[in-house]
Amino acid sequence: MTTRFQLSAGGVVHRRDPAGRIEVALIATQGGQRWGLPKGLVEEGESLEETALREAREETGLETIGQASYRTEREVLRQVSERGEGQP
């Protein structure tokens, strides 16, 4: 068996509705059987942030995506671990 390294990036596109609730943009995958967040493979010469924004635009159809903040999965997992979240 061979192992192939693939680097992907994605994001969470969200907004607040008039009542202040958060709405999250999801994409249908596997022929509409599953919902997921937009993500995709990094193209040559593209940064992770550029990939995440491109994929969010392509997969949601939203041309205007406002403020973008960038964190890696490793950073998020470290913050969760430091707060003690997810522990039994």
Side-chain angles (χ1 to χ4, degrees), residues 10-44:
V12 178
V13 179
H14 64 88
R15 68 178 181 187
R16 291 203 180 268
D17 71 7
R21 296 176 298 226
I22 296 175
E23 298 177 324
V24 176
L26 299 174
I27 59 166
T29 62
Q30 297 182 2
Q33 299 297 309
R34 297 182 75 190
W35 292 98
L37 297 170
K39 66 175 181 61
L41 297 176
V42 176
E43 294 179 356
E44 188 173 335

Side-chain angles (χ1 to χ4, degrees), residues 56-74:
R57 288 185 181 113
E58 287 177 2
E59 295 188 359
T60 65
L62 299 170
E63 289 299 318
T64 304
I65 296 179
Q67 178 183 358
S69 60
Y70 174 73
R71 293 190 299 176
T72 66
E73 181 179 7
R74 186 170 296 170

